[in-house]
Amino acid sequence: MLVIFDCDGVLVDSEPIANASFSKALKPHGIDWSVEETMRRLMGRSLKSCVEICEAEIGAKLPDDFVEKMQVVTYQGFRDAPLQAIAGVKDAALALQAAGIETCVASSGALEKMRFTLGLTGLWDFFEGRIFSASQVKRGKPFPDLFLHAAISMNVQPFDCVVVEDSVPGVEAARSAGMRALAYAAAPYADRDGLGAAGGFLFNDMRQLPELVLE
Ligand SMILES: [Mg+2]
């Protein structure tokens, strides 16, 4: 069996910081979304897809350096906070490993971003060599490509994979890949209705994860 962890919101508590930075960066370009609204619209998607959604909203292209400038602010936010691992997730991953269950990471984020966020929170070494990014496949979440790529790379059949996700596009991607989806919905901004409707099994505490996986 293979447990595939999403990164943002599942391994690291990056969503409030990243979406605050995104929300602020959009204001001069005519999009006045609160942090919550930004999360609702963009969470779980690749940066490329987020930019496309924003450009469709304003009906114009964002400047070429928009992403680069915003990333500088976001990364500084991760350093300042500092970014934390999601409560209990390290112990859950260790417990799965001790039970002989394989683990990996599959994120809409770029590898370099994960090197930074997983590095800051002490998770990079645990997952190194088993970290997959949407940049490695043609279509990001909600398409199944990334989770299928992770399963193939780890030599595990899709039906033998369990995905841990916190976003609706992520749960949709897992279900499209024929995988069980456990939806971590502890965060105040979690879209519980959407996660459930997409086929995710909701849970609120990472300490429950090993038991849920082995069910
Ligand atoms: Mg996520």
Side-chain angles (χ1 to χ4, degrees), residues 26-57:
L26 285 171
K27 288 198 197 311
H29 301 287
I31 296 184
D32 191 18
W33 291 340
S34 65
V35 178
E36 291 71 24
E37 182 69 6
T38 309
M39 283 174 165
R40 196 178 67 71
R41 303 243 196 176
L42 305 181
M43 245 180 64
R45 299 176 188 278
S46 70
L47 204 45
K48 184 168 161 267
S49 155
C50 293
V51 167
E52 285 167 4
I53 289 168
C54 297
E55 289 180 339
E57 179 75 14

PDB file of all heavy atoms in Angstrom, residues 26-57:
ATOM      1  N   LEU A  26      -2.735  40.616  -5.572  1.00  0.00           N
ATOM      2  CA  LEU A  26      -3.771  40.786  -6.601  1.00  0.00           C
ATOM      3  C   LEU A  26      -4.447  42.153  -6.553  1.00  0.00           C
ATOM      4  O   LEU A  26      -4.962  42.630  -7.567  1.00  0.00           O
ATOM      5  CB  LEU A  26      -4.838  39.693  -6.442  1.00  0.00           C
ATOM      6  CG  LEU A  26      -4.440  38.283  -6.905  1.00  0.00           C
ATOM      7  CD1 LEU A  26      -5.505  37.270  -6.484  1.00  0.00           C
ATOM      8  CD2 LEU A  26      -4.224  38.233  -8.416  1.00  0.00           C
ATOM      9  N   LYS A  27      -4.438  42.782  -5.385  1.00  0.00           N
ATOM     10  CA  LYS A  27      -5.201  44.029  -5.202  1.00  0.00           C
ATOM     11  C   LYS A  27      -4.841  45.115  -6.223  1.00  0.00           C
ATOM     12  O   LYS A  27      -5.742  45.714  -6.821  1.00  0.00           O
ATOM     13  CB  LYS A  27      -5.076  44.533  -3.768  1.00  0.00           C
ATOM     14  CG  LYS A  27      -5.876  43.648  -2.795  1.00  0.00           C
ATOM     15  CD  LYS A  27      -6.143  44.313  -1.480  1.00  0.00           C
ATOM     16  CE  LYS A  27      -6.542  43.334  -0.394  1.00  0.00           C
ATOM     17  NZ  LYS A  27      -7.602  42.381  -0.754  1.00  0.00           N
ATOM     18  N   PRO A  28      -3.534  45.381  -6.465  1.00  0.00           N
ATOM     19  CA  PRO A  28      -3.217  46.429  -7.450  1.00  0.00           C
ATOM     20  C   PRO A  28      -3.673  46.087  -8.868  1.00  0.00           C
ATOM     21  O   PRO A  28      -3.678  46.956  -9.734  1.00  0.00           O
ATOM     22  CB  PRO A  28      -1.676  46.504  -7.404  1.00  0.00           C
ATOM     23  CG  PRO A  28      -1.251  45.756  -6.201  1.00  0.00           C
ATOM     24  CD  PRO A  28      -2.337  44.788  -5.862  1.00  0.00           C
ATOM     25  N   HIS A  29      -4.048  44.828  -9.088  1.00  0.00           N
ATOM     26  CA  HIS A  29      -4.468  44.417 -10.432  1.00  0.00           C
ATOM     27  C   HIS A  29      -5.987  44.287 -10.548  1.00  0.00           C
ATOM     28  O   HIS A  29      -6.501  43.685 -11.492  1.00  0.00           O
ATOM     29  CB  HIS A  29      -3.773  43.103 -10.802  1.00  0.00           C
ATOM     30  CG  HIS A  29      -2.275  43.227 -10.764  1.00  0.00           C
ATOM     31  ND1 HIS A  29      -1.565  43.924 -11.717  1.00  0.00           N
ATOM     32  CD2 HIS A  29      -1.369  42.816  -9.839  1.00  0.00           C
ATOM     33  CE1 HIS A  29      -0.280  43.900 -11.396  1.00  0.00           C
ATOM     34  NE2 HIS A  29      -0.132  43.238 -10.262  1.00  0.00           N
ATOM     35  N   GLY A  30      -6.697  44.838  -9.547  1.00  0.00           N
ATOM     36  CA  GLY A  30      -8.159  44.917  -9.676  1.00  0.00           C
ATOM     37  C   GLY A  30      -8.918  43.730  -9.124  1.00  0.00           C
ATOM     38  O   GLY A  30     -10.118  43.589  -9.371  1.00  0.00           O
ATOM     39  N   ILE A  31      -8.240  42.828  -8.403  1.00  0.00           N
ATOM     40  CA  ILE A  31      -8.952  41.716  -7.759  1.00  0.00           C
ATOM     41  C   ILE A  31      -8.894  41.931  -6.250  1.00  0.00           C
ATOM     42  O   ILE A  31      -7.822  41.873  -5.650  1.00  0.00           O
ATOM     43  CB  ILE A  31      -8.350  40.343  -8.127  1.00  0.00           C
ATOM     44  CG1 ILE A  31      -8.502  40.076  -9.624  1.00  0.00           C
ATOM     45  CG2 ILE A  31      -9.025  39.233  -7.319  1.00  0.00           C
ATOM     46  CD1 ILE A  31      -8.031  38.707 -10.076  1.00  0.00           C
ATOM     47  N   ASP A  32     -10.068  42.189  -5.669  1.00  0.00           N
ATOM     48  CA  ASP A  32     -10.114  42.500  -4.239  1.00  0.00           C
ATOM     49  C   ASP A  32     -10.709  41.320  -3.465  1.00  0.00           C
ATOM     50  O   ASP A  32     -11.784  41.420  -2.884  1.00  0.00           O
ATOM     51  CB  ASP A  32     -10.943  43.777  -4.034  1.00  0.00           C
ATOM     52  CG  ASP A  32     -10.801  44.305  -2.613  1.00  0.00           C
ATOM     53  OD1 ASP A  32      -9.844  43.910  -1.921  1.00  0.00           O
ATOM     54  OD2 ASP A  32     -11.668  45.099  -2.186  1.00  0.00           O
ATOM     55  N   TRP A  33      -9.993  40.188  -3.466  1.00  0.00           N
ATOM     56  CA  TRP A  33     -10.448  39.002  -2.744  1.00  0.00           C
ATOM     57  C   TRP A  33      -9.860  39.007  -1.340  1.00  0.00           C
ATOM     58  O   TRP A  33      -8.674  39.307  -1.165  1.00  0.00           O
ATOM     59  CB  TRP A  33      -9.987  37.720  -3.440  1.00  0.00           C
ATOM     60  CG  TRP A  33     -10.637  37.436  -4.757  1.00  0.00           C
ATOM     61  CD1 TRP A  33     -11.815  37.943  -5.229  1.00  0.00           C
ATOM     62  CD2 TRP A  33     -10.129  36.564  -5.788  1.00  0.00           C
ATOM     63  NE1 TRP A  33     -12.075  37.440  -6.483  1.00  0.00           N
ATOM     64  CE2 TRP A  33     -11.075  36.593  -6.848  1.00  0.00           C
ATOM     65  CE3 TRP A  33      -9.004  35.766  -5.910  1.00  0.00           C
ATOM     66  CZ2 TRP A  33     -10.900  35.849  -8.014  1.00  0.00           C
ATOM     67  CZ3 TRP A  33      -8.832  35.024  -7.072  1.00  0.00           C
ATOM     68  CH2 TRP A  33      -9.777  35.068  -8.112  1.00  0.00           C
ATOM     69  N   SER A  34     -10.696  38.673  -0.350  1.00  0.00           N
ATOM     70  CA  SER A  34     -10.166  38.451   0.999  1.00  0.00           C
ATOM     71  C   SER A  34      -9.276  37.210   0.958  1.00  0.00           C
ATOM     72  O   SER A  34      -9.273  36.469  -0.029  1.00  0.00           O
ATOM     73  CB  SER A  34     -11.329  38.209   1.968  1.00  0.00           C
ATOM     74  OG  SER A  34     -11.980  36.999   1.621  1.00  0.00           O
ATOM     75  N   VAL A  35      -8.539  36.981   2.050  1.00  0.00           N
ATOM     76  CA  VAL A  35      -7.691  35.779   2.114  1.00  0.00           C
ATOM     77  C   VAL A  35      -8.569  34.525   1.971  1.00  0.00           C
ATOM     78  O   VAL A  35      -8.216  33.588   1.252  1.00  0.00           O
ATOM     79  CB  VAL A  35      -6.894  35.742   3.440  1.00  0.00           C
ATOM     80  CG1 VAL A  35      -6.055  34.476   3.528  1.00  0.00           C
ATOM     81  CG2 VAL A  35      -6.003  36.977   3.559  1.00  0.00           C
ATOM     82  N   GLU A  36      -9.734  34.535   2.635  1.00  0.00           N
ATOM     83  CA  GLU A  36     -10.645  33.378   2.576  1.00  0.00           C
ATOM     84  C   GLU A  36     -11.144  33.132   1.151  1.00  0.00           C
ATOM     85  O   GLU A  36     -11.200  31.998   0.686  1.00  0.00           O
ATOM     86  CB  GLU A  36     -11.851  33.602   3.507  1.00  0.00           C
ATOM     87  CG  GLU A  36     -11.533  33.590   4.990  1.00  0.00           C
ATOM     88  CD  GLU A  36     -10.745  34.827   5.455  1.00  0.00           C
ATOM     89  OE1 GLU A  36     -10.827  35.888   4.776  1.00  0.00           O
ATOM     90  OE2 GLU A  36     -10.037  34.721   6.462  1.00  0.00           O
ATOM     91  N   GLU A  37     -11.499  34.228   0.473  1.00  0.00           N
ATOM     92  CA  GLU A  37     -11.985  34.115  -0.903  1.00  0.00           C
ATOM     93  C   GLU A  37     -10.866  33.596  -1.827  1.00  0.00           C
ATOM     94  O   GLU A  37     -11.102  32.772  -2.721  1.00  0.00           O
ATOM     95  CB  GLU A  37     -12.490  35.479  -1.398  1.00  0.00           C
ATOM     96  CG  GLU A  37     -13.062  35.516  -2.806  1.00  0.00           C
ATOM     97  CD  GLU A  37     -14.389  34.774  -2.944  1.00  0.00           C
ATOM     98  OE1 GLU A  37     -14.937  34.317  -1.924  1.00  0.00           O
ATOM     99  OE2 GLU A  37     -14.854  34.628  -4.089  1.00  0.00           O
ATOM    100  N   THR A  38      -9.658  34.076  -1.597  1.00  0.00           N
ATOM    101  CA  THR A  38      -8.513  33.620  -2.392  1.00  0.00           C
ATOM    102  C   THR A  38      -8.320  32.119  -2.201  1.00  0.00           C
ATOM    103  O   THR A  38      -8.099  31.383  -3.165  1.00  0.00           O
ATOM    104  CB  THR A  38      -7.235  34.383  -1.976  1.00  0.00           C
ATOM    105  OG1 THR A  38      -7.514  35.787  -1.999  1.00  0.00           O
ATOM    106  CG2 THR A  38      -6.081  34.089  -2.908  1.00  0.00           C
ATOM    107  N   MET A  39      -8.437  31.658  -0.957  1.00  0.00           N
ATOM    108  CA  MET A  39      -8.313  30.221  -0.667  1.00  0.00           C
ATOM    109  C   MET A  39      -9.389  29.425  -1.401  1.00  0.00           C
ATOM    110  O   MET A  39      -9.118  28.395  -1.997  1.00  0.00           O
ATOM    111  CB  MET A  39      -8.469  29.980   0.836  1.00  0.00           C
ATOM    112  CG  MET A  39      -7.239  30.343   1.616  1.00  0.00           C
ATOM    113  SD  MET A  39      -7.590  30.199   3.374  1.00  0.00           S
ATOM    114  CE  MET A  39      -5.939  30.217   4.025  1.00  0.00           C
ATOM    115  N   ARG A  40     -10.621  29.927  -1.317  1.00  0.00           N
ATOM    116  CA  ARG A  40     -11.739  29.207  -1.925  1.00  0.00           C
ATOM    117  C   ARG A  40     -11.537  29.056  -3.432  1.00  0.00           C
ATOM    118  O   ARG A  40     -11.834  28.021  -4.010  1.00  0.00           O
ATOM    119  CB  ARG A  40     -13.043  29.966  -1.636  1.00  0.00           C
ATOM    120  CG  ARG A  40     -14.307  29.157  -1.872  1.00  0.00           C
ATOM    121  CD  ARG A  40     -15.555  29.954  -1.512  1.00  0.00           C
ATOM    122  NE  ARG A  40     -15.801  31.086  -2.392  1.00  0.00           N
ATOM    123  CZ  ARG A  40     -16.204  31.002  -3.649  1.00  0.00           C
ATOM    124  NH1 ARG A  40     -16.415  29.823  -4.205  1.00  0.00           N
ATOM    125  NH2 ARG A  40     -16.416  32.096  -4.379  1.00  0.00           N
ATOM    126  N   ARG A  41     -10.990  30.080  -4.056  1.00  0.00           N
ATOM    127  CA  ARG A  41     -10.847  30.058  -5.506  1.00  0.00           C
ATOM    128  C   ARG A  41      -9.590  29.320  -5.989  1.00  0.00           C
ATOM    129  O   ARG A  41      -9.599  28.740  -7.069  1.00  0.00           O
ATOM    130  CB  ARG A  41     -10.750  31.505  -6.017  1.00  0.00           C
ATOM    131  CG  ARG A  41     -11.945  32.345  -5.621  1.00  0.00           C
ATOM    132  CD  ARG A  41     -12.679  32.793  -6.813  1.00  0.00           C
ATOM    133  NE  ARG A  41     -13.589  33.874  -6.505  1.00  0.00           N
ATOM    134  CZ  ARG A  41     -14.299  34.478  -7.441  1.00  0.00           C
ATOM    135  NH1 ARG A  41     -14.182  34.119  -8.696  1.00  0.00           N
ATOM    136  NH2 ARG A  41     -15.117  35.438  -7.112  1.00  0.00           N
ATOM    137  N   LEU A  42      -8.514  29.397  -5.187  1.00  0.00           N
ATOM    138  CA  LEU A  42      -7.218  28.972  -5.730  1.00  0.00           C
ATOM    139  C   LEU A  42      -6.578  27.765  -5.052  1.00  0.00           C
ATOM    140  O   LEU A  42      -5.692  27.135  -5.632  1.00  0.00           O
ATOM    141  CB  LEU A  42      -6.218  30.152  -5.673  1.00  0.00           C
ATOM    142  CG  LEU A  42      -6.658  31.448  -6.366  1.00  0.00           C
ATOM    143  CD1 LEU A  42      -5.560  32.493  -6.233  1.00  0.00           C
ATOM    144  CD2 LEU A  42      -6.987  31.207  -7.844  1.00  0.00           C
ATOM    145  N   MET A  43      -7.002  27.433  -3.843  1.00  0.00           N
ATOM    146  CA  MET A  43      -6.315  26.381  -3.080  1.00  0.00           C
ATOM    147  C   MET A  43      -6.294  25.043  -3.804  1.00  0.00           C
ATOM    148  O   MET A  43      -7.303  24.633  -4.357  1.00  0.00           O
ATOM    149  CB  MET A  43      -7.004  26.192  -1.728  1.00  0.00           C
ATOM    150  CG  MET A  43      -6.139  26.546  -0.564  1.00  0.00           C
ATOM    151  SD  MET A  43      -7.029  26.289   0.982  1.00  0.00           S
ATOM    152  CE  MET A  43      -7.293  24.526   0.968  1.00  0.00           C
ATOM    153  N   GLY A  44      -5.138  24.383  -3.766  1.00  0.00           N
ATOM    154  CA  GLY A  44      -5.022  23.033  -4.319  1.00  0.00           C
ATOM    155  C   GLY A  44      -4.627  22.997  -5.786  1.00  0.00           C
ATOM    156  O   GLY A  44      -4.408  21.928  -6.341  1.00  0.00           O
ATOM    157  N   ARG A  45      -4.524  24.180  -6.401  1.00  0.00           N
ATOM    158  CA  ARG A  45      -4.209  24.228  -7.829  1.00  0.00           C
ATOM    159  C   ARG A  45      -2.766  24.675  -8.035  1.00  0.00           C
ATOM    160  O   ARG A  45      -2.167  25.291  -7.153  1.00  0.00           O
ATOM    161  CB  ARG A  45      -5.143  25.200  -8.554  1.00  0.00           C
ATOM    162  CG  ARG A  45      -6.601  24.793  -8.432  1.00  0.00           C
ATOM    163  CD  ARG A  45      -7.520  25.818  -9.082  1.00  0.00           C
ATOM    164  NE  ARG A  45      -8.920  25.516  -8.792  1.00  0.00           N
ATOM    165  CZ  ARG A  45      -9.650  24.625  -9.446  1.00  0.00           C
ATOM    166  NH1 ARG A  45      -9.137  23.954 -10.445  1.00  0.00           N
ATOM    167  NH2 ARG A  45     -10.905  24.399  -9.106  1.00  0.00           N
ATOM    168  N   SER A  46      -2.227  24.365  -9.219  1.00  0.00           N
ATOM    169  CA  SER A  46      -0.856  24.791  -9.522  1.00  0.00           C
ATOM    170  C   SER A  46      -0.836  26.312  -9.685  1.00  0.00           C
ATOM    171  O   SER A  46      -1.862  26.932  -9.982  1.00  0.00           O
ATOM    172  CB  SER A  46      -0.353  24.120 -10.798  1.00  0.00           C
ATOM    173  OG  SER A  46      -1.053  24.645 -11.905  1.00  0.00           O
ATOM    174  N   LEU A  47       0.337  26.891  -9.512  1.00  0.00           N
ATOM    175  CA  LEU A  47       0.498  28.340  -9.633  1.00  0.00           C
ATOM    176  C   LEU A  47       0.066  28.807 -11.035  1.00  0.00           C
ATOM    177  O   LEU A  47      -0.582  29.843 -11.185  1.00  0.00           O
ATOM    178  CB  LEU A  47       1.964  28.692  -9.356  1.00  0.00           C
ATOM    179  CG  LEU A  47       2.286  30.090  -8.887  1.00  0.00           C
ATOM    180  CD1 LEU A  47       1.337  30.554  -7.798  1.00  0.00           C
ATOM    181  CD2 LEU A  47       3.723  30.134  -8.379  1.00  0.00           C
ATOM    182  N   LYS A  48       0.429  28.004 -12.031  1.00  0.00           N
ATOM    183  CA  LYS A  48       0.076  28.321 -13.421  1.00  0.00           C
ATOM    184  C   LYS A  48      -1.455  28.400 -13.556  1.00  0.00           C
ATOM    185  O   LYS A  48      -1.986  29.346 -14.147  1.00  0.00           O
ATOM    186  CB  LYS A  48       0.641  27.224 -14.334  1.00  0.00           C
ATOM    187  CG  LYS A  48       0.443  27.445 -15.802  1.00  0.00           C
ATOM    188  CD  LYS A  48       1.305  26.463 -16.601  1.00  0.00           C
ATOM    189  CE  LYS A  48       0.805  26.332 -18.009  1.00  0.00           C
ATOM    190  NZ  LYS A  48      -0.160  25.208 -18.186  1.00  0.00           N
ATOM    191  N   SER A  49      -2.129  27.435 -12.974  1.00  0.00           N
ATOM    192  CA  SER A  49      -3.587  27.407 -13.046  1.00  0.00           C
ATOM    193  C   SER A  49      -4.200  28.562 -12.246  1.00  0.00           C
ATOM    194  O   SER A  49      -5.201  29.163 -12.667  1.00  0.00           O
ATOM    195  CB  SER A  49      -4.062  26.027 -12.574  1.00  0.00           C
ATOM    196  OG  SER A  49      -5.341  26.074 -12.080  1.00  0.00           O
ATOM    197  N   CYS A  50      -3.591  28.902 -11.096  1.00  0.00           N
ATOM    198  CA  CYS A  50      -4.066  30.048 -10.300  1.00  0.00           C
ATOM    199  C   CYS A  50      -3.973  31.343 -11.114  1.00  0.00           C
ATOM    200  O   CYS A  50      -4.903  32.159 -11.112  1.00  0.00           O
ATOM    201  CB  CYS A  50      -3.240  30.205  -9.027  1.00  0.00           C
ATOM    202  SG  CYS A  50      -3.438  28.859  -7.853  1.00  0.00           S
ATOM    203  N   VAL A  51      -2.851  31.528 -11.785  1.00  0.00           N
ATOM    204  CA  VAL A  51      -2.652  32.740 -12.599  1.00  0.00           C
ATOM    205  C   VAL A  51      -3.693  32.798 -13.713  1.00  0.00           C
ATOM    206  O   VAL A  51      -4.272  33.852 -13.979  1.00  0.00           O
ATOM    207  CB  VAL A  51      -1.205  32.789 -13.158  1.00  0.00           C
ATOM    208  CG1 VAL A  51      -1.068  33.850 -14.248  1.00  0.00           C
ATOM    209  CG2 VAL A  51      -0.212  33.056 -12.030  1.00  0.00           C
ATOM    210  N   GLU A  52      -3.974  31.654 -14.333  1.00  0.00           N
ATOM    211  CA  GLU A  52      -4.982  31.612 -15.407  1.00  0.00           C
ATOM    212  C   GLU A  52      -6.363  32.021 -14.880  1.00  0.00           C
ATOM    213  O   GLU A  52      -7.092  32.760 -15.541  1.00  0.00           O
ATOM    214  CB  GLU A  52      -5.042  30.203 -16.016  1.00  0.00           C
ATOM    215  CG  GLU A  52      -3.856  29.911 -16.932  1.00  0.00           C
ATOM    216  CD  GLU A  52      -3.726  28.424 -17.290  1.00  0.00           C
ATOM    217  OE1 GLU A  52      -4.605  27.629 -16.893  1.00  0.00           O
ATOM    218  OE2 GLU A  52      -2.727  28.090 -17.951  1.00  0.00           O
ATOM    219  N   ILE A  53      -6.706  31.538 -13.673  1.00  0.00           N
ATOM    220  CA  ILE A  53      -8.000  31.868 -13.068  1.00  0.00           C
ATOM    221  C   ILE A  53      -8.084  33.382 -12.821  1.00  0.00           C
ATOM    222  O   ILE A  53      -9.093  34.023 -13.113  1.00  0.00           O
ATOM    223  CB  ILE A  53      -8.203  31.068 -11.753  1.00  0.00           C
ATOM    224  CG1 ILE A  53      -8.441  29.585 -12.083  1.00  0.00           C
ATOM    225  CG2 ILE A  53      -9.357  31.637 -10.925  1.00  0.00           C
ATOM    226  CD1 ILE A  53      -8.376  28.650 -10.885  1.00  0.00           C
ATOM    227  N   CYS A  54      -7.003  33.961 -12.301  1.00  0.00           N
ATOM    228  CA  CYS A  54      -6.988  35.406 -12.013  1.00  0.00           C
ATOM    229  C   CYS A  54      -7.051  36.223 -13.298  1.00  0.00           C
ATOM    230  O   CYS A  54      -7.745  37.239 -13.359  1.00  0.00           O
ATOM    231  CB  CYS A  54      -5.737  35.777 -11.221  1.00  0.00           C
ATOM    232  SG  CYS A  54      -5.693  34.983  -9.604  1.00  0.00           S
ATOM    233  N   GLU A  55      -6.331  35.780 -14.319  1.00  0.00           N
ATOM    234  CA  GLU A  55      -6.330  36.512 -15.587  1.00  0.00           C
ATOM    235  C   GLU A  55      -7.713  36.458 -16.237  1.00  0.00           C
ATOM    236  O   GLU A  55      -8.159  37.448 -16.826  1.00  0.00           O
ATOM    237  CB  GLU A  55      -5.236  35.962 -16.517  1.00  0.00           C
ATOM    238  CG  GLU A  55      -3.846  36.345 -16.019  1.00  0.00           C
ATOM    239  CD  GLU A  55      -2.706  35.822 -16.894  1.00  0.00           C
ATOM    240  OE1 GLU A  55      -2.938  34.850 -17.643  1.00  0.00           O
ATOM    241  OE2 GLU A  55      -1.600  36.391 -16.810  1.00  0.00           O
ATOM    242  N   ALA A  56      -8.406  35.332 -16.085  1.00  0.00           N
ATOM    243  CA  ALA A  56      -9.776  35.228 -16.606  1.00  0.00           C
ATOM    244  C   ALA A  56     -10.699  36.185 -15.838  1.00  0.00           C
ATOM    245  O   ALA A  56     -11.592  36.795 -16.419  1.00  0.00           O
ATOM    246  CB  ALA A  56     -10.273  33.792 -16.483  1.00  0.00           C
ATOM    247  N   GLU A  57     -10.446  36.329 -14.540  1.00  0.00           N
ATOM    248  CA  GLU A  57     -11.263  37.206 -13.683  1.00  0.00           C
ATOM    249  C   GLU A  57     -11.133  38.678 -14.106  1.00  0.00           C
ATOM    250  O   GLU A  57     -12.115  39.399 -14.161  1.00  0.00           O
ATOM    251  CB  GLU A  57     -10.810  37.022 -12.224  1.00  0.00           C
ATOM    252  CG  GLU A  57     -11.540  37.864 -11.203  1.00  0.00           C
ATOM    253  CD  GLU A  57     -12.949  37.359 -10.882  1.00  0.00           C
ATOM    254  OE1 GLU A  57     -13.280  36.207 -11.249  1.00  0.00           O
ATOM    255  OE2 GLU A  57     -13.710  38.128 -10.271  1.00  0.00           O
TER     256      GLU A  57
END
